[in-house]
Amino acid sequence: MSEHKIIRLGHHGDGIAEGPVFAPMTLPGELVSGTVDGTALKDVRIVTPSSDRVAAPCRHFKACGGCQLQHANDDFVAQWKADVVRHALSAHDLSPDIRETITSPAQSRQRATLAVKRTKSGAMVGFHGRASDTLVEVPECQLIDPKIKASFGILKELAIIGASRKAPLAATVTVSLDGLDVSVQGGKPLDGPLRAGLAQLCDATGLTRLTWGDEVVAMRTPPRHAFGSAFVAPPAGTFLQATAHGAHALQTLVREAVGSAKRVADLFAGCGTFSLPLAERSEVHAVEGDKGMIAALDHGWRFATGLKPITHEVRDLFRRPLLPDELKRFEAVVLDPPRAGAADQVAEILKADVPVLAYVSCNPVTFARDAAQLAGAGYVLEWVQPVDQFRWSSHVELASRFVKT
C-alpha cells in the first residue's frame, strides 16, 4: 500500500495523482492509499477526504459502472464539467464566456441501454460493473426515469423468450409520450414462434413498439416525442437527447443563438430536435444523412400547425458538406455533429461567411478544434453553455454562438 495526493480529475472522471496514477472515485486534494498496478490504483482507501465528497445517492454506485461521479457534490460536478470545456478551448488560446452548467435532474434519463441476461432461474437486468463484464442489477437506480425501471419485468420476460444463455441482450428503452419503445440487440434469430411470442408480449405489456435486431416485430402505436409544437415518431433505435430537460435546454439555447434569423440551415438535423422548434419563427432547411430520420421530421412538420416551411434533404455531410453557394442563402446555421465534430463542414461555412452559427457539441475536444478554425477566420465565440444531460457521468455537452465580425 502507498499513499498518493489526487491532483485533478481526468476526462473519464478518475482522480489523477503524480505518475500518473489513476484512482477511481477520488477527488482533487484527497490523500488516498492503495496498491499501484501499472497506472491504476487498486483497493483505494480515502485517507483525507475532500470537502466536496458526499455520500452517493444511489446504493448501486460502487458496483455499477453507469455513473462515475456520485461521490462529489453537485456544485463540484457542474464546475468540473464547465472546466472541461474551458480547458479544451484554452488549449487553442480561446477564452469565451462560459456559463454555469445546466444539469438535468435525477431520475430523468428518458433513454437507457440495459444489459438483460437469461439465467437458470429466470433473468436479470442492469448495467455492467465498473471495468467489468459482470452484470449488476440496479432496481433502485437514481439515474433513469421511473418508467424505465418499471420495464425491468418486461425486459426479463424478453430474455426468457428470446435470449441465449451465452450472451446478454442489449435492450434500449425509450420513454415516449405514448409509452415505452424497446429495441433489442443480441437476441436469438427471429422465427415464427419467437416472432409470435414477442408480439403477444408487446400486446400484453402495453409497449408502444418492440424492435428485435433490425425488425419491428410489433407496434401498438408510433411512439411520439414532442419537438416544440410538433410530434415526431422516430425510427427504432434512433438517437434522441438523453433527457427531456436537456433537450428543452438545448432547444432554448439554439433559439437564442439563432436570434431573429429568417432562414436557417439545420445540419445533422436528426429527426428535427432543433428544426421543428425553430420553424415556429424561421424557415428551415434540414440536412441529415439518415433517410428514416428525415421522413420522421417531415411527417412531424406536415401534421403540425403554425410552422413555417421546412425543406429537407438526405445527405452525408462528412462526404458532401454543404458548399458556400448553398450556404449563402441562410442567415444562420445550426451545427450539431457527432463526436467527431465537423471540420470539413466548418471549412465550407468559413468560405460562405455565414453571419451566425449555433454549434451544439457532445465532445469539447473536437468542438474546440472547430472553434479555433472559426476564430482564425474572424468569428467571435460569444458564449458557451455546458449542458449536463448525463448526470454523474464524465460526459458533457454544450451549445454555443459564433458571430462573423
Side-chain angles (χ1 to χ4, degrees):
M1 300 286 284
S2 54
E3 291 190 346
H4 304 265
K5 187 68 170 285
I6 302 302
I7 302 167
R8 60 185 176 87
L9 292 191
H11 284 311
H12 297 294
D14 285 350
I16 301 177
E18 287 187 7
V21 175
F22 296 87
M25 293 183 280
T26 61
L27 296 172
E30 291 187 326
L31 182 66
V32 303
S33 66
T35 303
V36 177
D37 181 4
T39 60
L41 193 66
K42 305 290 187 180
D43 302 319
V44 176
R45 186 173 67 87
I46 309 300
V47 178
T48 306
S50 165
S51 60
D52 293 313
R53 178 171 286 277
V54 296
C58 180
R59 71 177 180 86
H60 308 298
F61 173 58
K62 289 187 178 180
C64 174
C67 296
Q68 293 85 49
L69 293 165
Q70 287 196 13
H71 58 295
N73 67 50
D74 289 348
D75 289 343
F76 173 90
V77 175
Q79 184 59 54
W80 176 71
K81 294 200 174 189
D83 287 342
V84 168
V85 176
R86 183 176 291 107
H87 293 153
L89 289 166
S90 66
H92 295 273
D93 297 321
L94 298 174
S95 54
D97 173 33
I98 298 180
R99 299 172 174 179
E100 292 185 5
T101 304
I102 296 172
T103 303
S104 292
Q107 300 188 69
S108 66
R109 282 284 296 273
Q110 65 179 356
R111 187 168 187 261
T113 300
L114 295 140
V116 191
K117 184 177 181 180
R118 183 180 160 198
T119 65
K120 288 183 179 180
S121 59
M124 54 192 299
V125 179
F127 294 111
H128 288 294
R130 202 176 307 278
S132 169
D133 289 332
T134 302
L135 181 58
V136 178
E137 293 189 284
V138 289
E140 296 177 28
C141 177
Q142 297 299 303
L143 185 66
I144 57 179
D145 187 299
K147 297 184 183 69
I148 296 179
K149 281 194 281 188
S151 75
F152 284 7
I154 301 171
L155 300 182
K156 290 178 181 179
E157 291 186 59
L158 286 173
I160 292 169
I161 293 172
S164 71
R165 292 278 302 279
K166 295 180 179 179
L169 304 177
T172 300
V173 185
T174 304
V175 179
S176 78
L177 295 173
D178 304 287
L180 295 179
D181 180 13
V182 178
S183 178
V184 177
Q185 298 292 330
K188 293 178 182 178
L190 280 170
D191 58 18
L194 177 56
R195 188 177 280 106
L198 293 173
Q200 289 172 3
L201 180 62
C202 182
D203 185 59
T205 57
L207 297 179
T208 60
R209 178 171 60 186
L210 176 58
T211 306
W212 197 263
D214 296 327
E215 182 177 333
V216 176
V217 294
M219 183 166 66
R220 289 191 312 109
T221 183
R224 298 171 304 150
H225 298 262
F227 297 159
S229 60
F231 297 95
V232 174
T238 294
F239 168 82
L240 291 168
Q241 298 296 334
T243 70
H245 173 274
H248 181 262
L250 289 172
Q251 289 161 351
T252 301
L253 291 162
V254 166
R255 281 174 169 159
E256 177 188 349
V258 165
S260 60
K262 294 182 179 178
R263 294 178 299 278
V264 179
D266 182 11
L267 309 185
F268 304 97
C271 294
T273 301
F274 302 124
S275 293
L276 290 160
L278 286 172
E280 293 172 11
R281 62 187 186 192
S282 306
E283 295 181 8
V284 179
H285 182 61
V287 185
E288 166 59 46
D290 186 298
K291 64 181 180 181
M293 292 188 185
I294 284 291
L297 185 160
D298 182 64
H299 186 274
W301 171 69
R302 290 181 183 279
F303 283 85
T305 57
L307 298 185
K308 293 185 180 296
I310 296 181
T311 56
H312 54 76
E313 62 178 301
V314 178
R315 182 164 172 171
D316 184 339
L317 290 169
F318 288 110
R319 295 185 178 183
R320 294 179 54 233
L322 260 65
L323 300 176
D325 61 332
E326 298 173 285
L327 289 164
K328 284 184 179 294
R329 62 191 178 98
F330 300 110
E331 297 167 21
V333 168
V334 177
L335 198 59
D336 182 19
R339 291 188 62 79
D344 291 343
Q345 184 60 78
V346 166
E348 302 303 330
I349 288 170
L350 297 180
K351 296 174 188 175
D353 284 336
V354 173
V356 174
L357 174 63
Y359 195 138
V360 178
S361 173
C362 59
N363 186 342
V365 173
T366 55
F367 168 75
R369 177 203 67 199
D370 292 349
Q373 190 179 4
L374 288 158
Y379 280 84
V380 174
L381 177 52
E382 290 193 338
W383 51 260
V384 179
Q385 173 68 71
V387 176
D388 184 8
Q389 296 191 75
F390 295 86
R391 189 184 180 99
W392 299 313
S393 81
S394 57
H395 187 73
V396 59
E397 296 176 292
L398 61 89
S400 63
R401 184 175 198 256
F402 292 85
V403 177
K404 178 68 176 183
T405 57

